[in-house]
Amino acid sequence: MLGVGIATQLFSAGALSPFAGRWDITIMTSKGQYPAWLEFAGEGGTPAIRMVGRTGSVHPVLDAKVEGTRLTFQDGSAPGVWQIVVKDRRLRGQAPDGPLTGVPAPALKVGAPHAWSSPGRLFNGSDLTGWTTDNSAANHWRAENGELQNTEAGANIRTTRLFGDFKLHIEYNCPRGGNSGVYLRGRYEVQVEYEPAGKNDSYHSMGSIYGFIPPAAAVHARPGQWESYDVTLDGRNVSVVRDGISIIDHAEIPGITGGALDSHEADPGPIYLQGDHTGGLKYRNITISVPER
């Protein structure tokens, strides 16, 4: 398990805190809203807390204090104190940059489908029909040579269609020094990166579910060459096959990853490609199958 922040415990030993569990959070700011995620777990009777903020990876909170229905902590990646109150399994409070609300994260235990549809194309190879960017002024995505290319860092791009469970096939060409990601339902990032050796640990390496699940098998690096992911997302369980090698096998994704579009985990979401880190990324042959239930 990744590191977690240990909270000062001001409720009786052995009692279940009303904060126990995982929470999907929304923060409202003057510039709009953004998602966050919080996990409050007991380890040996002492609460341990970790979170995901607007960007970055899951990390332990700092200086956490729990007093009954009130929780305070610091993020560590940004200044300021988070102040949260729980009532009737709902969170309300204040983040450093605005008010927040939170709900328990859904279990998403729907069961595997009996069958899948035939794969349908998400990218037609000739234009951006079916896709939209989050910043038209900074958009550098284009369709060329049957490829979805991002010529330089700028906008992110996502499908206009939304999906629940699915099987996704996507081919990618990541240059040396490149960094991108494939977000499942717009919330869970499958990392795409060939950054300098030693910059990223296994939890943040090619094929990881960013910050949460490292790849279980090594695959030979091929910067500047075409590779593939085959991803099955069933509820919050994910399997990833990279270049024909199983690297994640039916593992649970605890919560949203940094850069997620929202924290509404029970809702369908798009396939979302990160384009704001580096340019030079290319994608092609993007197809999806959905359950036939």
Side-chain angles (χ1 to χ4, degrees), residues 100-290:
L100 67 83
T101 59
V103 297
L108 300 180
K109 294 185 181 299
V110 296
H114 296 296
W116 296 91
S117 69
S118 297
R121 289 196 306 172
L122 292 181
F123 172 55
N124 64 21
S126 58
D127 59 38
L128 301 185
T129 298
W131 295 80
T132 186
T133 66
D134 61 3
N135 185 347
S136 58
N139 179 39
H140 303 292
W141 290 94
R142 67 185 184 188
E144 189 168 304
N145 300 323
E147 302 165 0
L148 184 56
Q149 302 177 356
N150 187 34
T151 57
E152 61 181 281
N156 305 303
I157 194 168
R158 64 181 183 267
T159 60
T160 55
R161 288 178 61 191
L162 306 180
F163 304 96
D165 295 346
F166 56 78
K167 297 179 75 171
L168 173 72
H169 174 83
I170 186 167
E171 297 174 14
Y172 59 92
N173 185 319
C174 180
R176 192 175 302 278
N179 186 310
S180 180
V182 179
Y183 281 76
L184 315 176
R185 298 193 199 116
R187 301 183 188 105
Y188 317 116
E189 182 186 7
V190 184
Q191 174 73 304
V192 176
E193 64 84 26
Y194 276 130
E195 294 187 301
K199 181 173 182 178
N200 295 313
D201 63 17
S202 62
Y203 284 88
H204 304 87
S205 65
M206 183 74 85
S208 65
I209 303 300
Y210 192 78
F212 281 123
I213 307 172
V219 178
H220 181 66
R222 294 192 291 150
Q225 300 181 47
W226 284 103
E227 304 182 66
S228 67
Y229 284 142
D230 288 281
V231 182
T232 302
L233 185 63
D234 174 14
R236 62 172 66 252
N237 295 312
V238 65
S239 297
V240 180
V241 176
R242 177 184 169 197
D243 296 342
I245 299 173
S246 176
I247 60 172
I248 296 175
D249 184 18
H250 204 64
E252 182 189 60
I253 306 175
I256 64 169
T257 59
L261 294 174
D262 62 49
S263 59
H264 308 314
E265 291 192 86
D267 294 345
I271 303 303
Y272 167 57
L273 305 179
Q274 192 176 62
D276 60 0
H277 281 25
T278 68
L281 273 294
K282 303 175 185 178
Y283 295 92
R284 70 180 185 187
N285 295 334
I286 309 171
T287 63
I288 200 162
S289 299
V290 297

